[in-house]
Amino acid sequence: MRGFGTTIFSEMSALAVQTGSINLGQGFPDTDGPPEVIEAAVRAIKDGHNQYPPGRGIPALRQAIADHQQRYYGLVYDPDSEVLVTAGATEAIVATVLALCETGDEVVVLEPTYDSYAASIALAGAVMRPVTLHGPDYRLDVDAVRAAMSPRTRLLLINSPHNPTGRVLDRQELSAIAALAIERDVIVLTDEVYEHLTFDRAHIPLATLPGMRDRTITISSAGKTFSCTGWKIGWVCASPPLLDAVAATKQFLTYVNGAPFQHAVVAGLALPESRIETIRTNLRDRRDQLRGGLLAAGLDVHPCEGTYFLTVDVASLGESDALAFCRALPGRIGLVAVPSSVFYVDPGPARSLVRFAFCKRPPVLDEAVRRLRKLSTAGAPSRTRSDTHEVRSPG
Ligand code: PMP
Ligand code: GLN
């Protein structure tokens, strides 16, 4: 697709492999998730769940997703007509955008923007209207959302907990989005893949707000909660007409996906809440560990309320270009991170922001911080200029 090269995540993971660096770039855990979930996947393969599953997902998983929404949030969905299993949240997002947007329709997104949003919107021939969340607090500017909306606005696409900033939108911000969606009669697509990975503030699903259930398409994924990002089991919950439209599109993207892994995710969603709590607190400890190390290394770290990611402003190291910095970092200290600047159409002051993933084992994080310390003592600013490379930008 014109204008979209290799994703920054693939580029940086390849660089980590080539250079043997510690990879705090692409967000994936370096340990397996709950053993019950892993064992259920192995069992499902051995039990012969290896052929096409039903188009909307196996009934047991659709029921488990509906139960999950009710148990955690009091949201009631009919597993037959209001739940769809997808090939990760990625397919759920592109199928929704393709299903609902025509050429020239507009989609309002929060910027920085997870990379697949811009590509999904472009595939539909629609137009992305970004609303920037400004660091270090990344609060939503409701007036900016209102200003970005027009009679062509078809979708509001929000993401909370938010990648890459780690922001978790609060009730006031979500209520403002809900009020605008109702006033303008717009559907909201909400990407909640990090719903269980919040540390300081509980996640509030947009669909729980008054008047929002039937105009909200909620997307999530097993990848983050159960540390199985390679399985690509995601899902959509929405009212029947919206779900039908997304399901019709999914049929011709992947048709179906991940039969044995669907069985395994049933086991994951059945785990007691205390296990999810343990996953959350372990990850919170990793955030605190990396945050402490980054601060001790003299870096300017932004607050993070959820997700796998911390944002750092490397301007304090005399660096002005995050992309150049991240491309040079493996060679300088054997570490990979992701430049947040590529998630903006026009990064402006975000040009020097870098994202570090903390979903790694404690010794790996310790070693990463030890390497980062070398930058403030010995580091000459990186000389690689980003404009000498082909840069994938979401714009
Ligand atoms: N949305 C966000 C905000 C993400 O960070 C990711 C990355 N995993 C995805 C969607 C894609 O999720 P999946 O791997 O389930 O396709
Ligand atoms: N969600 C992951 C991240 O933000 C990347 C997934 C991907 O590579 N597409 O790091």
Side-chain angles (χ1 to χ4, degrees):
M1 193 175 30
R2 205 175 306 129
F4 291 87
T6 306
T7 79
I8 195 72
F9 307 119
S10 305
E11 177 188 335
M12 290 300 162
S13 279
L15 200 55
V17 171
Q18 271 164 30
T19 57
S21 296
I22 295 178
N23 189 356
L24 304 189
Q26 192 176 31
F28 61 88
D30 60 356
T31 48
D32 284 335
E36 297 92 327
V37 181
I38 302 287
E39 280 150 22
V42 173
R43 203 166 51 244
I45 292 175
K46 288 190 172 160
D47 286 351
H49 295 294
N50 299 307
Q51 310 309 328
Y52 299 129
R56 290 194 173 197
I58 60 168
L61 180 54
R62 283 185 279 116
Q63 183 67 57
I65 292 164
D67 290 348
H68 170 274
Q69 295 305 92
Q70 177 147 31
R71 177 154 48 120
Y72 285 94
Y73 310 124
L75 284 166
V76 177
Y77 287 101
D78 172 36
D80 294 328
S81 61
E82 298 187 311
V83 179
L84 171 72
V85 177
T86 55
T90 308
E91 186 191 36
I93 293 159
V94 71
T96 302
V97 175
L98 288 171
L100 299 183
C101 295
E102 304 292 339
T103 305
D105 282 347
E106 296 178 2
V107 183
V108 174
V109 300
L110 306 183
E111 181 185 64
T113 306
Y114 181 61
D115 72 338
S116 82
Y117 300 171
S120 301
I121 293 165
L123 278 170
V127 179
M128 185 169 86
R129 298 280 179 225
V131 172
T132 304
L133 304 174
H134 296 281
D137 294 330
Y138 302 104
R139 278 200 70 78
L140 183 75
D141 176 348
V142 181
D143 292 334
V145 180
R146 185 185 297 279
M149 294 177 79
S150 83
R152 292 301 314 253
T153 305
R154 179 74 176 125
L155 271 181
L156 275 173
L157 199 181
I158 67 165
N159 167 220
S160 178
H162 184 258
N163 178 8
T165 65
R167 184 73 217 293
V168 179
L169 296 179
D170 65 22
R171 186 171 293 280
Q172 202 188 357
E173 292 163 301
L174 292 167
S175 299
I177 290 171
L180 275 175
I182 292 168
E183 177 191 314
R184 305 286 180 99
D185 193 18
V186 162
I187 292 161
V188 188
L189 168 56
T190 170
D191 175 346
E192 303 184 357
V193 299
Y194 299 99
E195 61 185 317
H196 289 297
L197 308 182
T198 61
F199 315 126
D200 306 318
R201 176 204 305 287
H203 166 66
I204 303 173
L206 187 75
T208 59
L209 271 69
M212 289 308 291
R213 184 199 183 276
D214 288 345
R215 65 170 67 248
T216 300
I217 299 176
T218 304
I219 286 173
S220 193
S221 172
K224 316 296 172 186
T225 307
F226 304 118
S227 297
C228 55
T229 61
W231 289 5
K232 299 297 282 191
I233 302 294
W235 53 84
V236 181
C237 296
S239 63
L242 293 174
L243 196 92
D244 285 350
V246 180
T249 308
K250 187 233 156 55
Q251 284 185 101
F252 299 108
L253 293 174
T254 55
Y255 179 51
V256 293
N257 59 285
F261 301 124
Q262 291 195 21
H263 289 266
V265 173
V266 174
L269 291 172
L271 288 172
E273 286 186 41
S274 59
R275 295 290 296 283
I276 306 287
E277 189 54 29
T278 306
I279 291 168
R280 183 210 318 282
T281 50
N282 278 341
L283 195 63
R284 185 197 58 205
D285 293 348
R286 311 283 170 90
R287 175 203 61 175
D288 292 346
Q289 181 191 354
L290 183 61
R291 182 175 166 74
L294 292 169
L295 288 170
L299 289 159
D300 175 10
V301 189
H302 290 185
C304 156
E305 301 165 323
T307 74
Y308 282 165
F309 310 112
L310 276 166
T311 299
V312 163
D313 193 340
V314 293
S316 60
L317 297 174
E319 300 281 350
S320 57
D321 180 340
L323 182 60
F325 174 80
C326 288
R327 283 179 169 156
L329 202 57
R332 289 171 73 188
I333 58 167
L335 186 64
V336 162
V338 163
S340 302
S341 50
V342 304
F343 305 127
Y344 295 77
V345 173
D346 174 9
R351 193 168 297 283
S352 53
L353 299 184
V354 173
R355 189 193 82 174
F356 290 91
F358 50 80
C359 46
K360 306 291 175 183
R361 286 169 290 134
V364 173
L365 297 177
D366 277 342
E367 176 57 21
V369 167
R370 206 184 56 74
R371 292 182 189 190
L372 276 166
R373 274 199 206 114
K374 290 192 239 159
L375 282 179
S376 37
T377 47
S382 48
R383 282 195 300 272
T384 318
R385 293 273 319 151
S386 63
D387 54 10
T388 60
H389 298 256
E390 193 192 329
V391 179
R392 192 211 64 78
S393 122

